[in-house]
Amino acid sequence: MGNSLRAIVAFVPSKDCQKYLLEDLDEMPVDRMVDLSSRQLRRLPLHVCSFRELVKLYLSDNNLSHLPAELEQLQNLQLLALDFNNFKALPPVVCTLRQLCILYVGNNRLRSLPLELRRLCNLRTLWVECNRLQQLPEAVCELRLLRTLHAGSNALRALPGRLRALRELRTVCLSGNLLCEFPPVLLRMPALEVIDVDRNAIRSFPSLAHLPGLKLVIYDHNPCRNAPRVARGVRRVGRWAEESPEPRKRSGALAHIAPEELPPLPP
């Protein structure tokens, strides 16, 4: 009954109705965070945009398809969660939030990202998984401070060569896409620590032993004929991984990795 009532109230822009959705959130929270996840929202209550010192705003798991221009007032916002909504395009106002460090827009219906995304010069983490991207937008290649890119469960067939410009990138997750070959650009990114290409269509892997920063590579559920060769101490997850070494007659000698040297899997 509560969720149904919220869904009805969300259509009504009156101040009383917005206060109901905000649950009497009249003043800026002490922790400068507002969580309106799972409220059946179809529009963002404008009252939130008055909290100009807000640092974190969670709007996950609602029915949002657009955001008001007033959101631009939140110039101190560092984290914005828009995942599990109905966005067909990233609202332009998001690209005005210059202090944004973490942006979640997964589980929407995005087919592209605007060129204006490059204005988010402080962005460190970008989650765009479970959308409809057929190619990684060029704007992503201009996010010079980006450290984590989650683009799994889209329709990517390749990565742009300009991705190499992201010298701070440490984690790239591409699981559940349409990659038929290992993206060549990743071979020229020595700072990468985690590469996830699980559930693609890669039939052959190049050697990754030359990547000095690599700690973990996930390549399971690919129709591969060989495992990626890695340096000593790098964790592999996939066929012929540590538990079942790849036959020497297929790939030649592989570097031996002692179990006690393996780094733990990320949560």
Side-chain angles (χ1 to χ4, degrees):
M1 183 65 180
N3 286 339
S4 299
L5 183 57
R6 284 197 181 104
I8 296 173
V9 172
F11 280 104
V12 183
S14 71
K15 290 184 178 180
D16 289 339
C17 289
Q18 289 194 19
K19 283 186 176 181
Y20 171 80
L21 293 172
L22 290 172
E23 296 183 351
D24 296 324
L25 187 61
D26 293 324
E27 299 179 355
M28 162 72 67
V30 176
D31 59 3
R32 296 192 293 174
M33 179 188 76
V34 169
D35 188 352
L36 294 176
S37 301
S38 305
R39 302 291 181 92
Q40 302 293 319
L41 294 177
R42 293 181 179 273
R43 64 180 69 191
L44 175 64
L46 292 180
H47 185 57
V48 174
C49 300
S50 66
F51 298 153
R52 301 198 176 195
E53 299 302 316
L54 201 64
V55 172
K56 298 179 181 180
L57 176 58
Y58 294 89
L59 300 172
S60 307
D61 191 23
N62 281 293
N63 295 308
L64 299 171
S65 58
H66 69 280
L67 294 175
E70 288 82 356
L71 190 73
E72 186 177 4
Q73 299 175 31
L74 304 182
Q75 285 301 314
N76 290 296
L77 204 63
Q78 296 180 19
L79 183 153
L80 178 60
L82 302 173
D83 46 327
F84 293 94
N85 276 285
N86 294 321
F87 293 105
K88 294 182 179 179
L90 185 68
V93 67
V94 173
C95 300
T96 68
L97 305 173
R98 300 297 182 88
Q99 297 303 316
L100 210 58
C101 296
I102 302 174
L103 177 59
Y104 297 101
V105 288
N107 292 88
N108 279 283
R109 293 184 283 173
L110 304 178
R111 293 186 178 276
S112 64
L113 294 173
L115 186 60
E116 289 76 13
L117 186 74
R118 62 186 178 183
R119 296 177 182 172
L120 302 181
C121 55
N122 288 302
L123 203 63
R124 265 79 167 175
T125 299
L126 176 62
W127 289 68
V128 292
E129 77 283 2
C130 297
N131 277 287
R132 301 177 182 179
L133 302 176
Q134 296 185 6
Q135 58 185 10
L136 194 67
E138 289 290 328
V140 174
C141 301
E142 298 190 35
L143 301 174
R144 301 300 176 126
L145 297 183
L146 197 67
R147 293 182 61 88
T148 301
L149 173 61
H150 282 260
S153 299
N154 279 282
L156 302 178
R157 296 181 181 274
L159 295 182
R162 291 185 59 203
L163 196 70
R164 186 185 181 189
L166 302 185
R167 299 182 182 277
E168 298 298 321
L169 195 61
R170 297 294 184 268
T171 298
V172 56
C173 297
L174 303 166
S175 62
N177 277 285
L178 303 175
L179 301 173
C180 292
E181 67 171 348
F182 187 84
V185 66
L186 299 184
L187 299 175
R188 299 188 293 170
M189 301 180 69
L192 285 177
E193 297 179 356
V194 178
I195 298 175
D196 182 359
V197 289
D198 183 31
R199 294 183 293 113
N200 277 278
I202 302 173
R203 293 186 174 277
S204 180
F205 281 95
S207 174
L208 305 179
H210 66 288
L211 298 177
L214 195 62
K215 298 178 180 178
L216 171 67
V217 54
I218 304 173
Y219 64 96
D220 210 8
H221 304 100
N222 280 280
C224 54
R225 298 186 296 268
N226 70 302
R229 192 171 183 177
V230 295
R232 182 180 180 85
V234 178
R235 177 79 180 262
R236 297 184 304 174
V237 177
R239 192 178 183 190
W240 304 304
E242 286 74 27
E243 295 79 9
S244 302
E246 181 181 2
R248 291 178 181 273
K249 65 180 181 180
R250 287 195 173 193
S251 66
L254 293 176
H256 174 71
I257 305 173
E260 62 272 11
E261 296 173 348
L262 300 177
L265 286 172

